[in-house]
Amino acid sequence: YFPNPVSSDLHYTILNELWENSIVSIFSIQGVLVYKTQISNETDHFNLSFLSSGNYIIKVQNPAHKEYTVKVI
């Protein structure tokens, strides 16, 4: 995921097929879900300009329920 910090568009690249059709959830630092979507493209982006400035946690869960988490600013 880049850039970090993000001002509007957050770009991602899926490195292998294990992460295709994953669910991406974005949480505020307080744990409130603010955005959720399914990703299927190998490379794409999210427009996050609707979010207030601050810290967020991105959780990616693949169909096999393996998770990856990253903090973005």
Side-chain angles (χ1 to χ4, degrees), residues 4 6 15 20-21 32 35:
N4 192 3
V6 62
L15 299 177
E20 291 177 359
N21 300 312
V32 176
Y35 184 77

Side-chain angles (χ1 to χ4, degrees), residues 10-28:
L10 181 68
H11 300 266
Y12 69 86
T13 300
I14 297 174
L15 299 177
N16 63 52
E17 64 276 355
L18 290 175
W19 295 99
E20 291 177 359
N21 300 312
S22 294
I23 300 294
V24 175
S25 303
I26 301 178
F27 298 89
S28 69

Side-chain angles (χ1 to χ4, degrees), residues 8-53:
S8 61
D9 290 336
L10 181 68
H11 300 266
Y12 69 86
T13 300
I14 297 174
L15 299 177
N16 63 52
E17 64 276 355
L18 290 175
W19 295 99
E20 291 177 359
N21 300 312
S22 294
I23 300 294
V24 175
S25 303
I26 301 178
F27 298 89
S28 69
I29 203 70
Q30 293 83 16
V32 176
L33 179 66
V34 295
Y35 184 77
K36 186 174 185 176
T37 190
Q38 183 172 1
I39 57 174
S40 56
N41 296 334
E42 188 173 300
T43 302
D44 206 344
H45 71 280
F46 305 114
N47 184 325
L48 301 179
S49 61
F50 66 93
L51 294 175
S52 301
S53 295

Side-chain angles (χ1 to χ4, degrees), residues 18 61-66:
L18 290 175
Q61 185 177 41
N62 72 8
H65 302 288
K66 185 172 182 178

